[in-house]
Amino acid sequence: MCLTSAQTLAQPLVLAGTWEYRQRNLATPNGVDLEGERLVITQAGVVVAYFGLEREGEHGLYYTAVQAENVRRTRDDRLEFTVPARNLYRSRPKSLPHAANLQPAGVANQRLVLTAERRGEALIVTCVSSDGWSGPESSMTFRRLPRTT
């Protein structure tokens, strides 16, 4: 019984870290975008920051940074959360406090509902948007980024 309790307490930590998804882009040498969507999961999955990319056609690439809402762990050990409406920035925010000091270049109003599930070394994330079609992809495979000091 003591072993089971220890495993239950330790289990949520497997999602903690910075995860990145890079969209396929055949125009690049390695076939994926040079930078991607990022999730920063801390405190055993309680706090989730979403750093996204917004492709605006001829207007270019914009960046977002926002704290997720309605974060919860499901019984089947998935993490569900909502990415609320978010400001668009011309440069990539390094953190949520950094984003608060940047001048917004617009807003993305579509809410995204994300569900993340750990599968081996990957985090599989499904995405549903409030308008039914916005969002990076309906299914994305995130990889953990190495820790930086």
Side-chain angles (χ1 to χ4, degrees):
M1 179 140 173
C2 187
L3 180 59
T4 304
S5 297
Q7 288 174 336
T8 302
L9 290 174
Q11 191 172 9
L13 298 175
V14 293
L15 293 178
T18 301
W19 300 81
E20 185 176 56
Y21 165 72
R22 293 196 183 187
Q23 196 170 42
R24 182 178 290 184
N25 182 343
L26 299 178
T28 63
N30 64 354
V32 295
D33 279 345
L34 300 176
E35 52 191 345
E37 316 286 325
R38 286 192 183 156
L39 293 173
V40 178
I41 304 173
T42 60
Q43 299 176 6
V46 176
V47 177
V48 177
Y50 175 80
F51 295 87
L53 302 175
E54 298 286 334
R55 291 162 178 81
E56 298 295 329
E58 73 265 3
H59 300 293
L61 181 68
Y62 292 90
Y63 302 90
T64 66
V66 67
Q67 185 166 331
E69 299 174 341
N70 307 317
V71 179
R72 73 179 191 93
R73 229 180 155 91
T74 66
R75 287 187 177 151
D76 58 356
D77 210 27
R78 293 178 188 201
L79 190 64
E80 292 181 349
F81 53 94
T82 301
V83 173
R86 55 223 169 267
N87 287 327
L88 301 175
Y89 305 102
R90 296 191 189 283
S91 61
R92 181 168 218 150
K94 296 176 176 85
S95 65
L96 294 179
H98 180 236
N101 292 316
L102 294 176
Q103 180 66 36
V107 66
N109 289 313
Q110 303 79 15
R111 297 171 64 82
L112 306 175
V113 177
L114 302 175
T115 303
E117 176 183 8
R118 178 84 185 260
R119 290 191 201 152
E121 295 301 312
L123 190 64
I124 307 302
V125 178
T126 56
C127 176
V128 177
S129 67
S130 60
D131 63 6
W133 60 273
S134 294
E137 303 259 356
S138 60
S139 181
M140 301 169 280
T141 300
F142 282 71
R143 302 284 178 203
R144 187 186 305 267
L145 293 179
R147 284 185 142 190
T148 58
T149 54

